[in-house]
Structures are given as C-alpha cells and as structure tokens.
C-alpha cells in the first residue's frame, strides 16, 4: 500500500514531462537499452533507404554466382539463385518493419477503443467484449494468424492484417483493465459530476493515463510481430517470392544447409536481434513508465 | 467448490460460442464463390455442386451456422477435400505425435524454466539473476524455427549425431523415436522455458518475502530446506497452473517445429491444410485447439482452487 501511495504521490513531478520525454531521458541512461534502440534505428534506416543502401538488386538472379560463400563482392554470400544475401536482408528489413508497424497499429486502433469501452461502461457491454476476447485468446496467436492468412490468401499484407488481428485481444485486455483501474479515481468522477459527456471522459481523462502501459505493450507487440511475420513468411503464407523477407529467406536456406550454411545464419540472426531489441526496449520502458503492471506478451 | 466449478463452466459456454463464431467466420473471408475456391482449380461442376450442398452454401448465413454447429455437436467436423478422410480421423491420426512432442517439450521447459527461475530469485539482483533473465529474454526473442535450423546445422549436418528430420513411431523403435524427438522437443521447450522462468522468478520472490519464510529462517532451518521445502511448494502452484496457459504457445510452436523437422503431427497438418486449401481441416484444427486450450484453462483453475483454501470455501 505504501508503495502504491508513494508512486501516486510521485506522479505530479513526473507528470510535468510527457511519457515520451521521460522514456527517452531514462533510456539514455541505460547502455543496453541504448544498444537496443540503435539496432531498431538501423533496421528503420535500412528499411526506409533500401534502394539507396542495398549494393545489388534483391531479385536479380546471377547464374554464375550460385550459393557463393561470403566474399568481398558479396559480403554475406549469395543464395540458390545467385542473389546477393546482404541486399535481400536489407529489403527484408522492410517487410519486417512494415509488419510490426502496421500490425501494431491495427491492434492498437481496434483494441484500445474496444477495451476502453468495456472497462469504462462495464455491464453487459463489458461481459460480451470480455467473452469475445477470451475466445480470441483461446486460439493461439500464430495458429490464428496462419489460418486467417490462409483464408485471406497468402501475401505480405494479408499476413500483416492477420498478425494485427491476432494481437487485438492483448490490447483489449490491457486497456480494459487500465480503464477499470482509473474509472473510480476522484478526478474521473469529478469530470463526470461537472457534466462531461462519457466519450470526453474516456478520451481526455482515462486514455492519457493508460498511455504509458500502452507504449510498453506496443513495443513488446512489435517483437511478437517481427517474429510472427518471419514465421508466416517462413511457412509460405507471408511475403511471396521473389519478394524478400527474413522468414522466406530461411525457407530456401533450409534446403541448402550442407552446401550453404551462411544462407541460414544471417536472416535468423536479424530476426532474433530485432525481436530482442524490441523486447529489451519494452522491458526497460516497463520499468520506467509503468512499473506497477506487467502486460502479457502475445503468444 | 461446486459453485466455483459451475461458475467457471458458465463462463466457458459463451466463450466457446464466440470461438465457434470466429472459426465459422473464417469461411466468410474466402474471396469469390467459396464453393469454387474450396473445390480448387480443376474441379468438375459435380464436385462444386457437391460442396455447395455439403456446406449448405445456398442457405442463409444463420441457417448455415446452425447446421455447422449441429454437425460439430454430433462430432462431424467435415471432410478433408484432399484425402477424403473425415477431419476427426485426420486429427486423431496426427495428435499422438504432437502430444509426445509437446509432453517432452513441457518437461524440458518446466525443468529448465523452474530451476533457472529459482536460481534467479534466490540471487536477486546478483550475477546469476542477471544471467537467468538474459537467457529468458533470449528464449522469448528467439524464432523457434531458426533455432531448429541452427540445431540441424550443428547436430545433423556438422556432427552428424542426430537425424535432421523425420519421425519414428515410439512403438516401432523407442531409441530412434527419442533420437528423432530430442531436437524438436528441445527447440519447443526452450521457447516456452523463458516465460516459465519469469513466472517462477516472480512467484518465488513473492513467496520468499512472506512472514513464514522469515520464521523458517529464524528458527534456524538451512537455506536449502527453506527454499525447497517451504518456499518452492507454494511458488510451484501458480507456476504449474500458468504453465497450462503456455499450452497455446506450445501449439503455435509445433506448427513451426514440425515444419522444420518434417514431423507428421498436428502442426504439420495445419500447415499442409493451409497450402492444400483444405479449409475444413483448418477450421477443425483451430476449433479443436481452442476447445482444448479452454478445457486446460478450466482444469488449471480448478486445480488451483482445489489446493488454495481461500478459493475452496467459495
């Protein structure tokens, strides 16, 4: 109790700064988090500037350079069609980033308003939304995404939609719990008493309070989305060849483990590093922004 | 206890209803004429008509849903367009492989996750805590299929001590069965152990701060006794019940590991069905997974309530 009290009392001083400013200033004091931030920035730069940075066309086959080991000409080697692996990795970053940004936006845009409504309105609305969320959570996220992608048809954008939809329940649960936590706070009741309409209370008084927890959850969901996009593309329902994704690069690599093991190393390492960085950032932000609750990671 | 049980089952019914709605709705996402899409490219008009009749595609949506649910209630999940077997037959064929894989993986995950979690908790803030938390973070961020590929690269391609893929039934050759299971089970187990380690660590930390632990220490019990006899007993319970919730992650994992290691299990069935556009199989598999997950959840809750006196009285 005393801990909770001291956090509440501490609020006014931290509230002077925006959550983002607070996050950036405290991240900058943690070397590991800075490293994770750097990895994410590199991925962003590679994804945005792929055309300028990639040394080769990621789709152009070179029949005279099939499965060449890393060399000065091809820093990370070439694949089964003689395509430059480094260039494909750089374009693959685009698929990964696209997947994480868009799917998290979908989950956020649908999950947060629905969760807020459930938490603030309560009653039958809450009951129905909660049962529906339970139903969505009962279907393992990846299996749900695979089947959704299958019915929608295999493509990167459908895979991204599927990942976003699979991540919705986590955001519903989180915003619902947070909204329920603050709805009986005095300032919310005061806002109601002075005659604010409900939508305004939710938007102006409840939502700003749950932003820190949502930032943390969004970062952790980015990690989930990176792995999920790679997984779907690896299974063949995500990015379609000849388009490059770290996941579908591993699908081909698996057939040449004896002859060209390097094909399997780099894309996997990229997925792992990117997901690790998002998870590290999420954990650090958690400690800074929202130490009281631990959101669940979509599984 | 009976009231608690009834309450939990009462909550499960609407959830199962929504699961069925979600799974049924998947079919509505098919672009164009579902009968044409389901039948495939070179289907005869007779087959298309048969599918239309089988799935009652000419009926209104609600009627179709009603007939679909009625079928399921009688154990009819549909027929695989690919193999012409019933979906129930297919599932019962494939599930033993996945059950063995998942059991082994869970044993690995619990052993590794719980011991790392205990180590982390008793050396809170120390180097061991740091190492354990790093391992957990690595486990959570590692794409299971890549770890699988790395294992194959190392143990099958480089050192040649384990088979790269395939599956030998337990009844045929137990030793070969184990050899074919080690890699996939470890990959799957490690993926889940990170989460279990985090649960164990926080459960242990909570228990270790209790008064009775301080009493146990104060009366001069050795640290080993305090941790393993007094603390772990209470910390293990939430961990094991939370472990049941990791079942979903485990099943998601089988989709990937079974594909990497070419194992003929549930996960491979789902992936193959997705590619063969065998929609009835996909729907059946998803429905089955969700129901098993909900039942496991229910059992975990009941087990928790059964041993937790504070819930028992309700």
């Amino acid at each position: 109790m005393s801990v909770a009290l001291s956090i509440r009392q501490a609020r006014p001083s931290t509230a002077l700064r925006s959550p983002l400013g607070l996050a950036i200033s405290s991240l900058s004091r943690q070397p590991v988090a800075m490293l994770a931030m750097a990895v994410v920035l590199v991925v962003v730069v590679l994804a945005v500037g792929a055309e300028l940075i990639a040394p080769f066309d990621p789709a152009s086959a070179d029949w005279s350079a099939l499965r060449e080991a890393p060399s000065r000409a091809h820093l990370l080697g070439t694949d089964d069609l003689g395509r430059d692996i480094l260039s494909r990795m750089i374009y693959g970053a685009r698929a990964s980033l696209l997947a994480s940004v868009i799917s998290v936006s979908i989950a956020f845009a649908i999950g947060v308003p629905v969760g807020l409504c459930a938490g603030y309105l309560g009653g039958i609305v809450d009951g129905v939304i909660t049962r529906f969320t339970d139903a969505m959570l009962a279907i393992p996220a990846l299996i749900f995404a695979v089947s959704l992608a299958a019915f929608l048809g295999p493509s990167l954008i459908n895979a991204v939609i599927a990942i976003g939809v699979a991540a919705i329940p986590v955001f519903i649960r989180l915003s619902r719990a947070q909204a329920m936590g603050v709805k009986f706070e005095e300032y919310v009741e005061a806002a109601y008493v002075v005659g604010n309409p409900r939508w305004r209370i939710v938007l102006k008084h409840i939502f700003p309070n749950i932003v820190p927890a949502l930032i943390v959850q969004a970062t952790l969901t980015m990690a989930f989305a990176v792995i999920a996009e790679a997984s779907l593309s690896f299974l063949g329902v995500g990015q379609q060849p000849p388009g490059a994704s770290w996941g579908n690069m591993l699908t081909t690599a698996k057939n040449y483990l004896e002859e060209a093991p390097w094909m399997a190393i780099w894309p996997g390492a990229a997925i792992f590093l990117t997901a690790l960085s998002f998870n590290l950032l999420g954990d650090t932000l958690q400690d800074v922004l929202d130490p009281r609750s631990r959101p669940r990671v979509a599984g | 206890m009976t009231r608690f049980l009834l309450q939990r089952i009462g909550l499960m019914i609407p959830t199962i209803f929504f699961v069925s709605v979600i799974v049924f709705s998947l079919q509505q996402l098919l672009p164009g004429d579902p009968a044409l899409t389901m039948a495939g490219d070179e289907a005869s008009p007779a087959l298309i008509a048969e599918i239309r009749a089988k799935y009652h595609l000419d009926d209104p949506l609600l009627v179709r849903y009603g007939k679909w649910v009625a079928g399921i209630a009688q154990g009819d999940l549909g027929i695989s367009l690919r193999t012409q077997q019933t979906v129930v037959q297919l599932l019962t064929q494939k599930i033993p492989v996945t059950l063995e894989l998942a059991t082994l993986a869970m044993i690995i995950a619990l052993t590794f996750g719980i011991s790392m979690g205990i180590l982390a908790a008793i050396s809170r803030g120390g180097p061991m805590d740091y190492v354990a938390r790093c391992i957990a973070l690595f486990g959570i961020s590692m794409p299971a299929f890549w770890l699988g590929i790395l294992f194959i690269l190392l143990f099958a391609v480089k050192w040649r001590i384990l088979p790269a893929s395939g599956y030998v039934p337990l009844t045929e050759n137990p030793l070969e069965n184990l050899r074919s299971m080690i890699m996939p089970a470890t990959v799957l187990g490690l993926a889940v152990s990170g989460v279990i380690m985090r649960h164990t660590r926080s459960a242990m930390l909570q228990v270790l701060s209790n008064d009775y632990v301080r009493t146990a220490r104060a009366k001069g019990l050795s640290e080993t006794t305090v941790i393993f006899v007094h603390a772990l007993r209470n910390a293990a319970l939430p961990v094991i019940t939370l472990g049941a919730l990791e079942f979903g992650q485990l099943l998601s994992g089988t989709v990937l590991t079974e594909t990497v290691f070419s194992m003929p299990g549930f996960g491979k069935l789902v992936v193959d069905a997705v590619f063969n556009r065998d929609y009835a199989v996909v729907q059946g598999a998803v429905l089955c997974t969700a129901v098993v997950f909900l039942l496991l959840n229910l059992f975990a809750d009941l087990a928790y309530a059964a041993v937790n006196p504070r819930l028992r009285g309700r």
Side-chain angles (χ1 to χ4, degrees):
Chain A
M1 192 62 208
S2 62
V3 177
L5 256 174
S6 66
I7 288 170
R8 259 177 221 152
Q9 280 162 354
R11 266 210 174 149
S13 62
T14 53
L16 292 175
R17 304 164 72 173
S18 70
L20 198 67
L22 186 69
I24 290 173
S25 76
S26 50
L27 281 185
S28 62
R29 269 174 271 134
Q30 305 211 24
V32 181
M34 284 304 283
L35 208 64
M37 195 74 176
V39 172
V40 172
L41 277 179
V42 168
V43 175
V44 172
V45 169
L46 290 180
V48 173
E51 279 93 353
L52 300 171
I53 301 166
F56 293 89
D57 178 353
S60 78
D62 179 357
W63 303 106
S64 62
L66 300 186
R67 299 195 300 273
E68 274 186 4
S71 64
R72 197 162 289 182
H74 298 281
L75 284 177
L76 300 182
T78 62
D79 69 3
D80 56 320
L81 298 175
R83 297 173 295 194
D84 181 52
I85 291 182
L86 177 63
S87 307
R88 289 187 71 71
M89 295 269 302
I90 293 172
Y91 276 86
R94 189 170 277 185
S96 246
L97 197 72
L98 195 76
S100 44
V101 173
I102 298 183
S103 58
V104 171
S105 310
I106 293 174
F108 196 99
I110 300 176
V112 175
V114 173
L116 283 176
C117 282
Y120 184 65
L121 297 177
I124 185 114
V125 177
D126 181 35
V128 171
I129 292 175
T130 309
R131 294 286 85 75
F132 191 77
T133 315
D134 282 351
M136 283 185 82
L137 283 169
I139 305 171
L142 187 69
I143 292 188
F144 187 57
V146 170
S147 19
L148 204 54
F151 278 89
L152 289 170
S155 77
L156 180 62
I157 198 68
N158 284 346
V160 172
I161 294 173
I163 297 168
V165 173
I168 289 176
V170 182
F171 281 90
I172 297 185
R173 276 227 168 152
L174 180 68
S175 349
R176 173 180 174 269
Q178 299 270 339
M180 280 171 71
V182 296
K183 89 170 164 184
F184 295 116
E185 296 269 345
E186 276 163 18
Y187 66 89
V188 176
E189 289 187 344
Y192 184 70
V193 170
V194 297
N196 280 298
R198 280 176 166 182
W199 64 265
R200 200 186 148 84
I201 295 175
V202 172
L203 210 64
K204 295 273 178 185
H205 298 276
I206 296 183
F207 180 69
N209 272 289
I210 68 170
V211 165
L214 288 173
I215 293 179
V216 173
Q217 186 59 57
T219 316
L220 294 175
T221 309
M222 290 265 193
F224 161 74
V226 166
I227 296 183
E229 183 276 321
S231 305
L232 293 183
S233 296
F234 173 76
L235 292 173
V237 289
Q239 176 80 298
Q240 298 299 302
S245 145
W246 297 337
N248 72 13
M249 290 176 77
L250 284 173
T251 319
T252 351
K254 209 193 139 240
N255 301 325
Y256 301 99
L257 287 181
E258 298 255 1
E259 309 93 313
W262 58 87
M263 277 172 66
I265 304 290
W266 312 119
I271 304 165
F272 172 62
L273 266 181
T274 313
L276 181 69
S277 304
F278 277 124
N279 273 330
L280 265 171
L281 280 179
D283 279 3
T284 318
L285 287 173
Q286 171 96 59
D287 297 338
V288 180
L289 295 177
D290 185 40
R292 278 175 298 172
S293 64
R294 273 218 157 263
R296 41 175 298 148
V297 182
Chain B
M1 188 70 198
T2 323
R3 206 179 129 203
F4 180 72
L5 179 75
L6 289 176
Q7 213 175 12
R8 282 295 284 112
I9 294 176
L11 284 179
M12 227 176 106
I13 292 168
T15 310
I16 289 186
F17 162 72
F18 280 124
V19 166
S20 76
V21 170
I22 295 172
V23 174
F24 178 76
S25 314
L26 283 175
Q27 221 184 70
Q28 311 308 316
L29 294 173
L30 283 181
D33 182 355
L36 272 177
T37 321
M38 283 193 219
D41 296 332
E42 62 255 26
S44 63
L47 179 64
I48 295 172
E50 194 189 315
I51 289 174
R52 209 179 283 279
K54 164 83 191 140
Y55 291 96
H56 314 286
L57 290 177
D58 291 328
D59 288 339
L61 198 64
L62 275 177
V63 176
R64 234 191 306 160
Y65 171 75
K67 287 183 176 167
W68 182 72
V69 170
I72 292 170
Q74 294 161 27
D76 175 17
L77 286 174
I79 290 174
S80 158
L81 287 173
R82 186 82 178 178
T83 63
Q84 296 303 321
Q85 284 172 293
T86 66
V87 174
V88 175
Q89 268 175 345
L90 270 176
L91 287 173
T92 38
Q93 261 172 30
K94 306 288 182 182
I95 278 175
V97 180
T98 302
L99 201 63
E100 192 193 344
L101 178 63
T103 312
L104 286 174
M106 209 55 190
I107 293 173
I108 293 172
L110 286 175
T111 317
F112 192 66
I114 291 183
S115 42
M116 291 299 282
I118 295 176
L119 277 176
I122 56 181
S123 64
R124 185 183 192 178
M128 199 51 228
D129 188 19
Y130 192 72
V131 171
R133 285 166 75 187
C134 279
I135 293 177
L137 196 60
F138 274 49
I140 291 165
S141 312
M142 177 69 85
F145 56 102
W146 186 51
L147 189 63
I149 290 176
L150 289 183
F151 272 27
I152 295 179
L153 207 54
L154 219 59
F155 295 102
V157 175
K158 195 152 190 229
W159 296 329
R160 296 182 189 282
I161 44 177
L162 288 170
S165 64
Y167 169 75
V168 183
L170 186 66
T171 43
E172 210 171 272
N173 185 340
L175 189 70
E176 275 306 307
N177 169 273
L178 194 63
R179 272 166 51 86
S180 66
M181 278 286 177
I182 289 179
M183 282 202 290
T186 312
V187 167
L188 202 52
L190 288 181
V192 179
S193 68
V195 185
I196 297 209
M197 180 260 148
R198 285 185 164 187
H199 288 327
T200 312
R201 180 176 177 274
S202 60
M204 274 302 271
L205 283 178
Q206 203 179 0
V207 169
L208 284 175
S209 68
N210 277 348
D211 285 344
Y212 80 90
V213 171
R214 195 182 50 190
T215 311
R217 280 192 181 132
K219 72 179 180 185
L221 292 180
S222 73
E223 195 60 24
T224 329
T225 321
V226 171
I227 285 159
F228 287 97
V229 180
H230 293 250
L232 185 60
R233 208 183 260 183
N234 281 312
L237 194 65
V239 172
I240 289 172
T241 47
L242 281 169
L245 302 186
E246 292 310 315
F247 174 77
Q249 208 198 339
L250 208 63
L251 268 188
S252 284
T254 61
V255 172
L256 292 164
T257 36
E258 286 179 0
T259 306
V260 172
F261 292 99
S262 315
M263 297 185 75
F266 175 83
K268 190 84 172 37
L269 177 76
V270 173
V271 175
D272 288 345
V274 162
F275 279 103
N276 297 330
R277 301 172 144 211
D278 211 340
Y279 299 108
V281 178
V282 178
Q283 281 180 308
V286 174
L287 191 68
C288 211
T289 317
V291 171
V292 172
F293 178 83
L294 288 172
L295 285 177
L296 270 178
N297 249 322
L298 178 69
F299 289 142
D301 270 8
L302 291 182
Y304 194 77
V307 286
N308 189 336
R310 271 165 294 187
L311 280 173
R312 208 183 296 152
R314 281 169 57 184

